[in-house]
Amino acid sequence: MPVEQTLVLQKSFGQPGRVRLAFEPDGPEYEDALFSHRHGRTEGRPSLLKVAVSPAGARVLRREAEVFDRVGGRHACFGALLGFRTAEDPVCLLVTRRGLPIARLDPAPRLDAVQLARAARDLFGALAALEEHGFAHRAVSPESVFWDGRRVELQELGHVQPLGPGAALAGSALATPTGLPASEMPDVQAAARVIHRLATGRHHGGPPDALLADLARIDPALAAVLAPALHAGPGPLVPPAAIAAQLVETAPRPAPARTAPEAQPAPGRRPAAPGDRDHAFRSEFRELRRQQREFRRRTAERTPSRRPRTALDAFPPPTAAPRPAPAGDGASPALFVFAGAIVLVLIIVVVLMVR
């Protein structure tokens, strides 16, 4: 089970202080002559931890940390800088990542025309963004281009070379060359070859015309735009921004919305004219009124007839006055009870007096 590692790193060149980050390995680990690569997750995001294994690797990572600090997170095809350690050993760098290097995907991806056009726009757009900051990548390859199934991302920014005078970089790690041999292939040509690999699923170092023929079978418009890049030589460079702009212009457009066809008249019947429609509306209205009259007539026939009301109906019939209660033939029972009680009291008084 992967063991989580806690790293204390500097967050940014412009902000003092350090942050504590937890790195959880969950992907491949590999090492080259410069540094080790470990794929994992940090704060829930896919991340890449690179640790220098040689002095040359330490120089490259210091440069890469500065490049990420300048451009990281400012373009969709660059990772974001999470933290770095350059003042003490081991020198390391932690950045977000998108997927895995194309060279390490198994099986190798083979993109359709829509995916391929988007990958080309992303990759050449990233090179154009680097050029705006005054750098050429100089290490575009299937190892430095990542793919996650939807988008590509350009990594390995430590090999960049300034396009202009290096006076503005004085005092930074970017002013110090890496001391490593630089690729003689222009960035635009290397990027076009990466797009060819994404299209065919194989690494083919053939001549440009053969690569263009493969691309033309998938997307002729894309092949036409990438032709100058694949033929780029050591002479005047083809600006990646110009290729990125052409890729945007030739991007596949969404199909127009389909509208339902108008209803056609039945065979042998001419289309209704506006006057015919008015006549039809009037006919329907008259038929509706006829049905209403017929309904009222039938309802009246089913209702029983009533005697016509007269003026006398306004007065209610006379009612008999209530008869007064007849006078009683004798006293009420309550009177008899009262008289009996008086007699009983008198008898008791007489008896007591006699005694």
Side-chain angles (χ1 to χ4, degrees), residues 5-350:
Q5 181 179 357
T6 301
L7 304 171
V8 180
L9 304 175
Q10 187 174 341
K11 184 72 173 178
S12 170
F13 283 93
Q15 298 177 359
R18 300 194 173 194
V19 293
R20 185 180 298 271
L21 298 172
F23 174 78
E24 181 181 357
D26 69 349
E29 300 182 12
Y30 46 93
E31 185 176 315
D32 54 28
L34 298 177
F35 21 73
S36 64
H37 302 73
R38 300 178 65 192
H39 294 258
R41 302 186 71 84
T42 302
E43 298 178 343
R45 293 184 290 178
S47 58
L48 172 63
L49 176 62
K50 300 168 68 174
V51 180
V53 296
S54 66
R59 288 195 300 270
V60 173
L61 281 188
R62 290 189 182 98
R63 291 165 54 87
E64 189 166 8
E66 289 205 23
V67 176
F68 266 109
D69 194 56
R70 293 168 183 255
V71 305
R74 294 175 175 84
H75 191 278
C77 290
F78 295 126
L81 179 64
L82 296 177
F84 61 93
R85 182 171 59 225
T86 58
E88 57 187 33
D89 293 331
V91 175
C92 62
L93 176 73
L94 183 63
V95 296
T96 63
R97 62 176 172 86
R98 187 190 294 274
L100 295 173
I102 294 173
R104 299 186 180 274
L105 292 175
D106 188 21
R110 295 187 62 179
L111 311 189
D112 58 28
V114 175
Q115 293 175 315
L116 200 62
R118 183 172 189 175
R121 293 195 302 272
D122 287 345
L123 184 52
F124 281 90
L127 292 177
L130 268 181
E131 188 180 53
E132 289 180 0
H133 285 82
F135 299 106
H137 189 275
R138 309 303 292 147
V140 179
S141 72
E143 287 284 355
S144 62
V145 179
F146 286 38
W147 167 255
D148 67 350
R150 294 183 60 252
R151 306 286 295 270
V152 297
E153 184 176 76
L154 187 58
Q155 291 275 356
E156 305 297 338
L157 303 181
H159 300 274
V160 298
Q161 290 183 351
L163 294 175
L169 302 176
S172 73
L174 294 172
T176 304
T178 62
L180 302 173
S183 172
E184 297 181 358
M185 184 180 296
D187 284 349
V188 291
Q189 184 180 142
R193 289 180 177 271
V194 169
I195 296 301
H196 175 270
R197 178 161 179 166
L198 288 173
T200 61
R202 66 181 187 274
H203 179 64
H204 186 20
D209 290 337
L211 305 185
L212 287 173
D214 292 338
L215 290 174
R217 283 191 287 269
I218 300 174
D219 189 343
L222 177 63
V225 174
L226 295 185
L230 283 171
H231 285 97
L237 297 179
V238 180
I243 298 178
Q246 293 181 40
L247 290 171
V248 172
E249 293 177 359
T250 59
R253 298 292 188 269
R258 300 180 61 182
T259 57
E262 295 184 1
Q264 300 295 327
R269 181 180 299 177
R270 66 179 180 84
D276 296 339
R277 288 196 295 269
D278 294 342
H279 176 72
F281 294 153
R282 294 192 185 96
S283 299
E284 292 179 3
F285 179 74
R286 286 194 293 269
E287 176 64 18
L288 179 61
R289 293 298 302 272
R290 187 193 66 78
Q291 293 177 4
Q292 291 175 343
R293 289 194 297 270
E294 181 68 18
F295 175 77
R296 286 196 294 268
R297 183 184 63 79
R298 293 179 180 177
T299 303
E301 291 177 353
R302 289 195 296 267
T303 304
S305 60
R306 297 180 180 178
R307 179 179 61 84
R309 291 176 60 87
T310 64
L312 295 178
D313 293 334
F315 301 95
T319 57
R323 295 178 60 185
D329 295 336
S332 64
L335 184 60
F336 284 108
V337 173
F338 181 71
I342 293 176
V343 172
L344 181 60
V345 171
L346 292 176
I347 293 173
I348 294 173
V349 171
V350 171

